[in-house]
Amino acid sequence: MKPTLRLILGDQLNIQHSWFKSPASAAVYLMMEVREEATYARHHIQKVIAFFVAMREFAAEIERKGFKVIYLTLDDTQNLHSLSSNIEHLLNSGTYGAFEYQLPDEYRVDRALSDLTAHLSVPTRVVDSEHFLTERDSLSRIFRGRKRYVMEHFYREVRKRYDILLEEGEPIGGKWNYDAENRNRLPDSVVPPAPLTFSRDVSEIVDVLERAKIPTIGTLSPKNFPWPVTRQEALETLEYFCKHCLLHFGTYQDAMHTAHRFLFHSRLSFSMNVKLLSPLEVIQRSIKEWQKQQRQITISQIEGFVRQIAGWREFMRAIYWSQMPEYKELNYFEHTRPLPGYFWNAKTKMNCVKHAVKQSLEEAYAHHIQRLMVTGNFTLLTGIEPAAVNEWYLGIYADALEWVQLPNTHGMSQFADGGILATKPYVSSGNYINKMSNYCSGCFYNQKARTGEKACPFNSLYWDFMRRNRARLETNPRIGMAYRTFDKLSPEEKKAIERQAAHYLETIEEL
């Protein structure tokens, strides 16, 4: 009997999948590093390397467990550098009697494999990735009969389904959501722990990328690669978070600080998105730690963390699969401006943007508020084309896969979908950034000033954004207060703000 060829994508490194319960003599597992995947966006070099190293480590792990593996490296002479081409080539050899793959998480890969299997001469089968807490079509089921998609309702359904932080069907502590307690600036008296990092020499893969002329962005230290790329390292990262960071995660998850890039964040997103860890085991392990340290870790801390995974992460995926492919083309505000050059080199006088971009270039990571309320806020206020913003976010972050990046950026950050995902645009003046960070201290610009030579760009740009989009936003109940405040300004001040914003938009490359 001919063996089955089974495809494992780079974000399907799930050793807990039923495929790996016991070695199957009738299956051969195919993994590949292809130019097609390395270049569909201009990725951060740490992202490309993290994927390739994690894939190689996973292939070695399943081989040790007795599974047969075909692994095509980027420089393999047999590599045709396309998922479909490599699969077709192997199947056309006559060696295999069937082809199987797990449901991809990205629309483009899903379409490519669906198109491929439509004309294969061997039987094909698609199986679930066995990773997520909800199904692709969960949105239509959970929101049947409702007019709007609201994350909070989705989140409660997931918690009920898995009995997460519930007692007799009711939320522990009496509240479903403690978000109001998760918005604190980091005080000087609280010092986050040093981040857990790893050290691996990836010089060989760097050389392979250079020889293949794979275009990348960002920097790295080839002999000291810090990302967790094995299941064991991912589990160590989870343990470190639970023991050292969970205590303060919820309280300071929205804070930003120049001296503490990672604060109390878990930095588990890459490990989860390539499926080295499952969302349920991350939730269960963190709850176990909370139960053990209830005198120190409050319900607001653990709920804030659980909400990111059981709520937000699953909701993003559900939105993605319910709205693609049209979702990607939406441009509610009709923004067309190109991305400023300092998003590639961090050379800007705006301290907040400089720190967020510099960190992203150096770490391939920034936490959600840096992404939403600094870089995302700025690109929305200045009218950057959503496609350009999406491309930057997709490329620069190691954890960025389109199913989670696109809804977060396109819907939450840029409001390009007009409110399918978020209930309002997440824009702010410099006041919010000053409240949640120390970025404004020592900045070239004056955070308090709306107009003038060194007035904080976020201030005039915020009010001008609200002015320009009044017809689209005025009836939104969540931002009505902003228009009432704007209307109290004198005609002279409104005109001065408009002139200031126009000047900053004209000289955006010089900010």
Side-chain angles (χ1 to χ4, degrees):
M1 186 173 109
K2 293 181 179 179
T4 296
L5 184 67
R6 286 177 169 174
L7 173 67
I8 303 174
L9 296 171
D11 62 346
Q12 294 178 341
L13 312 183
N14 180 9
I15 197 63
Q16 300 175 94
H17 194 277
S18 56
W19 272 0
F20 307 112
K21 295 302 180 186
S22 61
S25 59
V28 176
Y29 294 84
L30 172 64
M31 300 181 69
M32 53 183 120
E33 303 165 2
V34 292
R35 175 176 287 274
E36 176 184 64
E37 291 301 298
T39 59
Y40 72 87
R42 191 179 178 197
H43 300 291
H44 199 296
I45 189 169
Q46 292 184 39
K47 178 182 181 181
V48 179
I49 290 175
F51 268 87
F52 284 4
V53 176
M55 290 166 63
R56 293 182 182 194
E57 292 285 350
F58 186 80
E61 180 182 5
I62 62 175
E63 279 190 312
R64 287 193 297 270
K65 292 180 179 293
F67 297 91
K68 298 176 183 177
V69 180
I70 295 174
Y71 193 98
L72 298 174
T73 59
L74 193 69
D75 56 355
D76 192 312
T77 56
Q78 301 300 310
N79 193 339
L80 300 176
H81 290 289
S82 156
L83 292 174
S84 298
S85 297
N86 281 328
I87 293 165
E88 277 192 293
H89 178 72
L90 287 167
L91 291 176
N92 288 339
S93 70
T95 304
Y96 305 97
F99 174 64
E100 296 180 352
Y101 66 96
Q102 298 174 28
L103 275 175
D105 292 325
E106 298 206 349
Y107 183 85
R108 64 184 179 83
V109 180
D110 186 74
R111 288 293 87 210
L113 290 176
S114 181
D115 292 344
L116 169 68
T117 56
H119 66 262
L120 289 178
S121 59
V122 300
T124 63
R125 188 167 76 104
V126 185
V127 301
D128 194 81
S129 66
E130 302 175 12
H131 173 80
F132 293 96
L133 301 174
T134 56
E135 301 76 25
R136 275 186 181 182
D137 63 353
S138 58
L139 215 63
S140 60
R141 176 181 57 81
I142 293 176
F143 290 96
R144 186 176 291 115
R146 294 172 180 261
K147 293 183 179 180
R148 285 195 54 81
Y149 303 136
V150 180
M151 195 281 285
E152 180 66 22
H153 180 70
F154 184 93
Y155 169 51
R156 293 184 187 188
E157 289 297 313
V158 176
R159 279 179 60 178
K160 291 174 185 176
R161 181 173 179 176
Y162 290 91
D163 194 26
I164 298 171
L165 293 177
L166 301 180
E167 282 182 342
E168 298 180 356
E170 294 299 318
I172 293 175
K175 292 169 59 178
W176 288 96
N177 188 314
Y178 290 84
D179 186 49
E181 297 176 34
N182 298 158
R183 303 170 185 170
N184 292 279
R185 178 190 178 106
L186 185 75
D188 293 338
S189 59
V190 176
V191 180
L196 174 66
T197 58
F198 300 87
S199 181
R200 178 180 270 98
D201 189 339
V202 295
S203 302
E204 178 187 348
I205 298 181
V206 172
D207 291 342
V208 170
L209 293 177
E210 289 177 352
R211 288 197 301 272
K213 294 183 169 58
I214 301 296
T216 60
I217 56 176
T219 60
L220 88 161
S221 175
K223 295 187 181 299
N224 191 29
F225 191 69
W227 287 88
V229 291
T230 67
R231 175 161 170 79
Q232 181 57 43
E233 290 173 350
L235 287 169
E236 288 177 31
T237 306
L238 174 58
E239 285 297 307
Y240 189 86
F241 167 74
C242 289
K243 292 178 179 176
H244 301 285
C245 302
L246 181 58
L247 174 65
H248 293 303
F249 169 78
T251 303
Y252 304 114
Q253 65 173 305
D254 286 2
M256 299 172 285
H257 199 283
T258 55
H260 306 291
R261 290 182 166 185
F262 305 122
L263 291 100
F264 297 96
H265 289 269
S266 70
R267 296 184 302 123
L268 290 168
S269 49
F270 172 78
S271 298
M272 293 177 65
N273 290 354
V274 298
K275 302 180 180 58
L276 292 172
L277 297 175
S278 77
L280 194 57
E281 73 179 320
V282 171
I283 290 169
Q284 290 173 340
R285 176 63 190 91
S286 61
I287 290 176
K288 182 179 178 181
E289 191 67 28
W290 166 70
Q291 290 169 336
K292 191 166 116 180
Q293 296 192 54
Q294 280 195 39
R295 289 187 178 180
Q296 288 79 36
I297 303 174
T298 64
I299 183 65
S300 66
Q301 308 297 335
I302 185 63
E303 188 279 322
F305 182 65
V306 166
R307 188 182 344 118
Q308 298 297 326
I309 300 171
W312 199 248
R313 185 173 186 264
E314 295 286 325
F315 186 56
M316 292 301 99
R317 176 173 177 260
I319 288 285
Y320 179 79
W321 283 107
S322 75
Q323 302 297 319
M324 285 293 283
E326 296 81 9
Y327 192 76
K328 198 172 183 177
E329 306 304 320
L330 299 176
N331 188 353
Y332 181 67
F333 293 114
E334 301 178 354
H335 286 165
T336 58
R337 194 181 305 277
L339 200 66
Y342 37 82
F343 273 71
W344 308 103
N345 58 29
K347 294 180 180 179
T348 170
K349 297 188 289 292
M350 295 177 288
N351 216 25
C352 57
V353 175
K354 178 180 71 176
H355 276 280
V357 172
K358 187 171 187 289
Q359 175 181 325
S360 301
L361 290 167
E362 293 176 353
E363 309 284 0
Y365 172 86
H367 73 66
H368 64 282
I369 295 299
Q370 292 172 301
R371 300 186 199 194
L372 177 65
M373 298 308 299
V374 178
T375 51
N377 185 13
F378 180 77
T379 54
L380 180 52
L381 292 178
T382 53
I384 308 300
E385 182 184 13
V389 182
N390 282 319
E391 185 177 5
W392 187 79
Y393 276 90
L394 182 61
I396 202 165
Y397 295 119
D399 57 15
L401 294 168
E402 192 182 69
W403 67 267
V404 68
Q405 172 274 319
L406 183 65
N408 266 299
T409 306
H410 208 64
M412 180 72 168
S413 171
Q414 300 304 293
F415 205 74
D417 64 3
I420 293 174
L421 187 153
T423 55
K424 67 170 184 176
Y426 280 82
V427 288
S428 78
S429 65
N431 184 56
Y432 175 87
I433 296 171
N434 185 53
K435 176 184 175 183
M436 297 307 301
S437 76
N438 69 337
Y439 287 158
C440 298
S441 177
C443 182
F444 172 84
Y445 296 103
N446 178 2
Q447 176 270 323
K448 295 181 179 180
R450 289 176 179 167
T451 57
E453 184 181 355
K454 291 187 177 183
C456 173
F458 280 85
N459 293 338
S460 58
L461 290 171
Y462 169 77
W463 288 113
D464 194 59
F465 172 85
M466 301 302 289
R467 178 193 64 80
R468 295 194 317 266
N469 294 292
R470 185 161 196 157
R472 290 184 174 98
L473 301 175
E474 188 173 20
T475 58
N476 187 313
R478 294 199 64 193
I479 54 178
M481 179 65 75
Y483 284 106
R484 288 192 289 275
T485 301
F486 182 73
D487 288 341
K488 292 177 182 178
L489 301 178
S490 67
E492 294 75 20
E493 189 167 4
K494 289 178 183 177
K495 187 57 69 174
I497 289 172
E498 187 177 342
R499 285 195 300 268
Q500 184 81 37
H503 170 68
Y504 280 153
L505 290 173
E506 288 170 6
T507 59
I508 190 170
E509 293 287 352
E510 301 168 19
L511 294 181

